[in-house]
Amino acid sequence: MQIHDDPRTDAELLAVVAESDRDALSVLYARHAPWLVLRLSRRCADPSVVDETVQDTFLAVWRSARKYSGQGEVAAWIWGIGVRRLIDTLRREPAATVMLTEPSRTEISAEEQVLLGVEYGDLAGALHTLSPELHAVVQATVLDGLTTREASRLLGIPAGTVKTRMMRARAALREELV
Amino acid sequence: MTTAPGTWHLDQTLVRRYVDAVTDAVTAASVESHLLRCAGCRQAIADESADPASVARRALIWEDVVDRLDAPRVGIIERLVHRLGIGAHDARLLAATPSLQVSWLASLLLVLGFAVAAAHGRDEAGALFLLAAPLIPVAGVAAAYGPDIDPAHELGIAAPYRTSRLLLLRCVSVLVASAGLAGCAALALPAAGWSQAAWLLPALGLTLTTLALSTRLSPVVSAAAVALTWVLVVVKLVQLDRTAELAGATAQAMFLALIVAAAAVVVVRHDQFDTRSAV
């Protein structure tokens, strides 16, 4: 699988995938599977569920490449498919565990503080003050772009809880930022 | 690494920490939202997670993707049957039934449509429909199984699966599908009331008789014999202008008796399906 060699952009590759070009799909896979596996692994601790989700995602990319609007990042489109497939897989196998907290929490270096400051402004510091439960909800709804119902399936908590946690998170962030 | 907004990128340390999953939640979120719009940093992540284990894992996933691309797509009938609570294997067997194919069901609709249209054009409403409707499940059952018709017949013989179970599974589903279609068509008949349902017992009776005969003869021969008899009976009744009697109590009671007798034969002789399957 050559990642570097193919000069085509993701959108161009996707257009060819829509014409049932399997090589184009393999290039897309080589480009996007690494980060997708890592990002899904942060949301689901069960590697077999992650593997299955990645499979489902690229099958969906193959089948619905035609539906890509041509606007926006292909990576974001793939992530949108991936995270919803993860929810579907979790619904089929409810025994799978979901990470609510990070596997290991380490001190952040000063350098990262700067990076985060650039990326999010004061928001970064405020997000740090959230409890893991509230942060998981913010991550699912704001950063992953899920609906309340999807977030509730991903996190394994009732939709009402997602809403109340989101409200608490919002209040906490506002307090921290103002 | 630059610090101007919009040109922020992951540095090597952060890439390493993200791949090892030791970044805290906020940093990870920051990395992830950046990755969605930066091909360069995605590449950096890919290069960093190029250890043999990760590469092998992704290769395995890709192999499975290719396998599933090669696998035949599950047809609409198979999905429908599976949705109704039938196991995946039984659903596949049912979907392979020749007389459950979409083309077959479409031609059934056409036949029924003609019968209904003909009934509308004549006074003796329903005679033609009464002739056609019971034959439809008979034909369906004949085409559900057997060396002449089923393309998967030899596979079925080799499979560790009781032939009688396969046959009955298919016949029941064919019966449900075709009787359902005929039932819908009957509602479009001009005459209302009981005569609309008069075909139901003959249909069941003829189908079970076909099955009972199949314990001795091939399904196609049995169905042909049953259908021929039925046609002769109906034509004779039309000539005598006594078709209305088919919907009468006496005739319906006779069909009920036929159903019970044929069902008894099928139950007693169902082993014959298994022993005759090699024919």
Side-chain angles (χ1 to χ4, degrees), chain B residues 42-67:
Chain B
R42 285 199 295 269
Q43 186 58 60
I45 291 282
D47 290 341
E48 191 64 34
S49 65
D51 56 294
S54 305
V55 170
R57 180 183 181 186
R58 290 199 297 269
L60 277 179
I61 300 175
W62 175 249
E63 271 174 34
D64 285 340
V65 171
V66 172
D67 279 352

Side-chain angles (χ1 to χ4, degrees), chain A residues 101-115:
Chain A
T101 51
E102 297 305 312
S104 60
R105 205 164 274 276
T106 46
E107 285 300 306
I108 320 149
S109 68
E111 190 184 30
E112 277 172 28
Q113 284 287 21
V114 175
L115 293 183

Side-chain angles (χ1 to χ4, degrees), chain B residues 124 127-128 130-132 135 227-243 246:
Chain B
E124 68 228 62
L128 192 60
L130 205 52
L131 174 69
L135 291 181
L228 194 65
T229 316
W230 175 249
V231 169
L232 289 177
V233 168
V234 173
V235 166
K236 192 72 193 164
L237 287 175
V238 168
Q239 280 173 351
L240 299 173
D241 202 17
R242 289 168 62 186
T243 46
L246 271 180

Side-chain angles (χ1 to χ4, degrees), chain A residues 57-158:
Chain A
T57 306
F58 280 91
L59 274 175
V61 166
W62 172 258
R63 281 171 191 157
S64 55
R66 221 172 277 281
K67 291 184 195 142
Y68 172 67
S69 64
Q71 254 127 51
E73 279 284 342
V74 172
W77 184 72
I78 292 178
W79 171 248
I81 297 175
V83 70
R84 280 171 183 82
R85 293 286 150 161
L86 176 65
I87 292 164
D88 287 348
T89 316
L90 288 176
R91 195 166 27 172
R92 281 201 303 271
E93 296 163 37
T97 49
V98 176
M99 260 189 253
L100 267 181
T101 51
E102 297 305 312
S104 60
R105 205 164 274 276
T106 46
E107 285 300 306
I108 320 149
S109 68
E111 190 184 30
E112 277 172 28
Q113 284 287 21
V114 175
L115 293 183
L116 288 164
V118 172
E119 189 74 347
Y120 278 118
D122 288 354
L123 192 56
L127 277 169
H128 275 295
T129 64
L130 292 181
S131 68
E133 291 80 16
L134 294 190
H135 188 271
V137 169
V138 172
Q139 171 168 282
T141 53
V142 179
L143 301 170
D144 291 346
L146 299 178
T147 64
T148 305
R149 179 182 264 183
E150 287 168 335
S152 85
R153 285 199 196 117
L154 178 66
L155 303 175
I157 51 178

